[in-house]
Amino acid sequence: MLIKITAGKYTYKDFSFLFLAAFLFFSCHEKKARIVEPSFYYWKSVFRLDGTAQQTMDSLQVKNLYTKFFDVDWDGVSNVPAPVAKLQSTNFRLHQGVAVIPVVFITNECIQKIDTAQIAGLAVNIHTLINEISKSNKFNIIDELQIDCDWTASTKSSYFQLLRLIREQDPGLQLSATIRLHQIKYLSKSGIPPVDKGMLMCYNMGNLKNPATKNSIIETEELKKYTGSLSQYPLPLDIALPLFSWNVLFRKNVYSGLIENIPATVFTNTFTLKKDNRIELLQDTLLQGYNLKKGDILRTEESNYSEIIAVAESVNARLKNTRVRVALFHMDAVILNKYSFHELEAIYNSMR
């Protein structure tokens, strides 16, 4: 249709047409809101939520709690995979409507050392132990199982075979696997796990052991190095975002471990020198069970709210699925007290 112009001016009908055309154009191109299911991880060995945690879950309408049931590590004495850090049974009961999703963490060393004959037995043992822990805690009906393993190109064959055999134990159970950022970027080497969906872990993205790293937990610019092809990933992806913090210890400029749960208030000027997110020990100090030496450097790393939002928005722009579970790591009263309800709500909303 041609627009009539008279004496350099648009007529009333012309403006009506332009308005209608613009409305239709933007309506057709408007991004549909993604359905977000607020979720949390629970990563403790005793299953119990305090009042703060329960109130937070209720207020945010959290319906899924990804709960670590146990780890699988390699027993070097018996040369077999063995469960460790099993979830202890308690009398605590979740509110109705909250689903517990078992998570089993398997070390990459275990996958490296396991032989073909042991894989089938491990799949059976994992399934059996999950049922035992679920029954002893009287969890609600479980319809999903998540396996957490940072597999590599050299271990993917054994790991993927394990996943197939785990699925065979209960074909009606939805199976998911955690996906690291490097497994997105190097898809051809990492392969695609034989599961129903993945949980993309948007944290621990920097080089923890490098003294020059700013924040290995979360950094938007670091994330962008790995997610350029995220929209082409063949599995639907849920998203995990961090809430935790820690101190990374360096002794003589060499990584020496992680120190957790030490409040910043204990680092006073009497025995430390602070610059940016680095703390230098000025004298030998025994601090809450940690034997720190003069000259040690602690790099304080946190999950800053603004950084979490920036990472979520960056992932949101590339994520293709229209429904997503956003799981925050992890459910802990000390951690939750660092964030307001509105901040936690905004993190979920940033993925819509």
Side-chain angles (χ1 to χ4, degrees), residues 146-163:
Q146 184 172 102
I147 305 298
D148 180 14
C149 179
D150 188 7
W151 83 89
T152 62
S154 64
T155 59
K156 70 177 179 181
S157 178
S158 295
Y159 177 56
F160 289 2
Q161 177 62 8
L162 175 62
L163 291 174

Side-chain angles (χ1 to χ4, degrees), residues 38 72 88 154 156 168-169 186 199 209 229 241 268 343:
V72 179
Q88 298 178 24
S154 64
K156 70 177 179 181
E168 289 181 6
Q169 300 302 308
Y186 304 108
M199 175 70 79
K209 298 181 180 181
S229 60
L241 295 165
T268 66
E343 287 176 332

